[in-house]
Amino acid sequence: MSKPRSRVADYLTYLVVRVVVCLIQMLSYGLARGISKQLSRLMYQVDRRHRQVAFDNLKQALPHVEDDQQRDEIVRAVYRHFCLLLVEIIQVPRKLHPTNWRQHLDLAGGRELVDALLSDRPLLLVTGHFGNWELGGYVLGLLGFNTYAIARTLDNSHLDDFFRGFRERTGLKVLAKKDDFDNIQSVLAGGGVLATLADQDAGARGLFVDFFGRPASTHKAVALLALEYNVPMLVIGTPRVGEPMKYQVVAEELIRPEEYQGKADAVRRITQRFTAALERVVRRFPEQYFWLHRRWKHQPAVRKSKRAA
C-alpha cells in the first residue's frame, strides 16, 4: 500500500518549482544556458544510478561505439541536452511568438505534416522522448491547430495543474493517460489530432518489438486506436539543430492503417513500424535521446522446454 501524500510537502514543492521557473524566465537565454551546463555537470556526478542506466543502454544499443570513453561522452552530452531542454521549455512562453516561430523551428518535410493536419481525417502524431518533444505541440497551438496530447497525471496535484496550464497556454489540450480514454476516443472519432509519446517501457504485458536490436516492451494502444478509427499515423522527431534554441520537425514516416486492415498481426506490424521509425531518428542524434530511462527493463518470458517423453 502506497504511503499517503503530504499536502504540505506537495504545496511547498510546488512553490519551489514556481520560484525556480520565475527566476529562469527572468534570465537571458545566454545566462540560462550557462546555468544549464553547470547543472548538467552536477547531475552527471550526483545521478549515478541513471548515469549507469544510460551507459548500459548505449553499450547494448550502439555496439559500434566500442570505446567506454566515447560512450561516456555521449552520456555527458545527454545530460547537457536535457538540462538545456528544461531551461528552454521554461523560457519558451517568453521567447516564442506567432511572429518569430520560424527563427526557432524548421519544418523538414513540412508539406507532409501540413497535408496530414489539414486533411479531413483524424491524425496520430507519434514521437518519443527525443529532442524537444514539447515544442511541436506548442507551435501547432500558436499556428491555430487544435491538438490533444496524452500525458501521465502527476502525483502532486498542484504541479500537475501548473504544468497542464503551461502546456495548454497556446491551445493544446492535455488528456490523462489513464483517466481520459473516452475523451481520447472522442477526439479521434471527431477527426481530431492526437499526439503521444510511444517509447516507454510497457511492462511485462506489453507488446515486444525490436528497438535497437533488442526486444522492447511497447504499448499496443497506439496501433489499436489507429486500426479502430482508421487514423493515419505520422512519426515525428524534433531534434536540436542549432543555437539559440533552433529545432527541426522531422516527419520520418507516415503509416496508413488501411494498409494493414484484415492482415494477420496488424497491431504488431504497425507497432514495429513506428518503433523502427523512431529508432532511425534517434540514431541520427543519439545524444538527444532519453537513455536514462530503462527502456528494456522488461524482457519476454523465457518459455520452459517441455519435458522429454
Side-chain angles (χ1 to χ4, degrees):
M1 185 174 179
S2 60
K3 184 179 179 180
R5 297 187 64 84
S6 167
R7 293 184 179 182
V8 175
D10 280 354
Y11 191 69
L12 288 176
T13 302
Y14 161 74
L15 290 179
V16 170
V17 170
R18 286 297 303 266
V19 170
V20 171
V21 168
C22 289
L23 290 174
I24 292 177
Q25 287 184 334
M26 291 170 58
L27 300 176
S28 67
Y29 177 79
L31 183 55
R33 188 170 184 268
I35 291 174
S36 76
K37 286 184 178 180
Q38 298 302 321
L39 178 62
S40 71
R41 294 191 182 101
L42 176 63
M43 292 298 296
Y44 173 86
Q45 296 296 331
V46 173
D47 189 19
R48 181 178 179 181
R49 183 169 68 90
H50 289 102
R51 184 179 74 222
Q52 189 60 51
V53 167
F55 193 88
D56 291 342
N57 283 342
L58 286 166
K59 190 173 183 178
Q60 296 289 334
L62 303 178
H64 64 279
V65 182
E66 298 178 356
D67 186 77
D68 283 350
Q69 186 175 352
Q70 288 180 283
R71 291 194 195 98
D72 184 67
E73 285 300 321
I74 296 176
V75 174
R76 290 175 184 269
V78 168
Y79 276 94
R80 287 195 298 270
H81 168 73
F82 282 98
C83 285
L84 179 57
L85 175 64
L86 175 62
V87 165
E88 289 178 338
I89 289 175
I90 291 173
Q91 288 207 337
V92 155
R94 301 291 180 91
K95 302 294 184 184
L96 209 61
H97 309 287
T99 57
N100 72 347
W101 67 269
R102 289 184 179 85
Q103 298 175 20
H104 300 285
L105 195 66
D106 175 39
L107 297 179
R111 181 59 182 269
E112 192 170 49
L113 174 60
V114 172
D115 287 347
L117 288 168
L118 295 178
S119 73
D120 56 357
R121 298 179 66 178
L123 177 65
L124 269 168
L125 295 175
V126 178
T127 188
H129 292 83
F130 168 79
N132 190 337
W133 61 88
E134 295 281 353
L135 193 60
Y138 193 91
V139 171
L140 287 177
L142 282 178
L143 298 178
F145 290 101
N146 294 321
T147 58
Y148 297 80
I150 302 173
R152 186 180 74 85
T153 302
L154 299 179
D155 295 330
N156 186 324
S157 60
H158 303 292
L159 285 179
D160 187 70
D161 291 341
F162 174 60
F163 287 122
R164 180 182 294 270
F166 202 88
R167 286 170 160 174
E168 292 183 343
R169 63 187 305 148
T170 64
L172 173 75
K173 298 296 181 184
V174 178
L175 301 178
K177 189 174 184 178
K178 291 185 177 181
D179 302 326
D180 278 336
F181 191 70
D182 289 342
N183 290 330
I184 290 170
Q185 291 179 305
S186 297
V187 169
L188 297 178
V193 179
L194 184 67
T196 185
L197 296 165
D199 66 332
Q200 291 179 302
D201 179 82
R205 296 185 179 182
L207 180 63
F208 289 93
V209 296
D210 183 84
F211 187 53
F212 283 93
R214 299 169 66 193
S217 178
T218 309
H219 292 284
K220 296 177 283 188
V222 180
L224 288 169
L225 287 171
L227 288 167
E228 182 176 354
Y229 293 95
N230 194 29
V231 185
M233 182 186 302
L234 187 62
V235 184
I236 62 172
T238 316
R240 178 185 285 110
V241 293
E243 296 291 349
M245 205 165 68
K246 180 70 173 180
Y247 288 88
Q248 186 179 70
V249 175
V250 178
E252 182 65 21
E253 184 160 7
L254 180 63
I255 303 172
R256 295 181 173 85
E258 55 265 29
E259 299 174 10
Y260 297 89
Q261 291 290 349
K263 291 186 178 181
D265 220 5
V267 172
R268 177 177 294 278
R269 292 186 183 189
I270 292 176
T271 305
Q272 179 62 77
R273 188 172 169 186
F274 75 66
T275 301
L278 287 174
E279 178 182 327
R280 291 196 301 272
V281 178
V282 173
R283 283 188 180 276
R284 295 199 289 271
F285 305 88
E287 73 285 353
Q288 297 187 36
Y289 186 61
F290 198 66
W291 298 105
L292 310 178
H293 168 60
R294 295 181 64 189
R295 181 65 182 91
W296 294 272
K297 178 180 179 180
H298 292 89
Q299 290 294 289
V302 178
R303 295 182 180 179
K304 296 180 179 179
S305 59
K306 293 182 180 180
R307 292 182 178 180

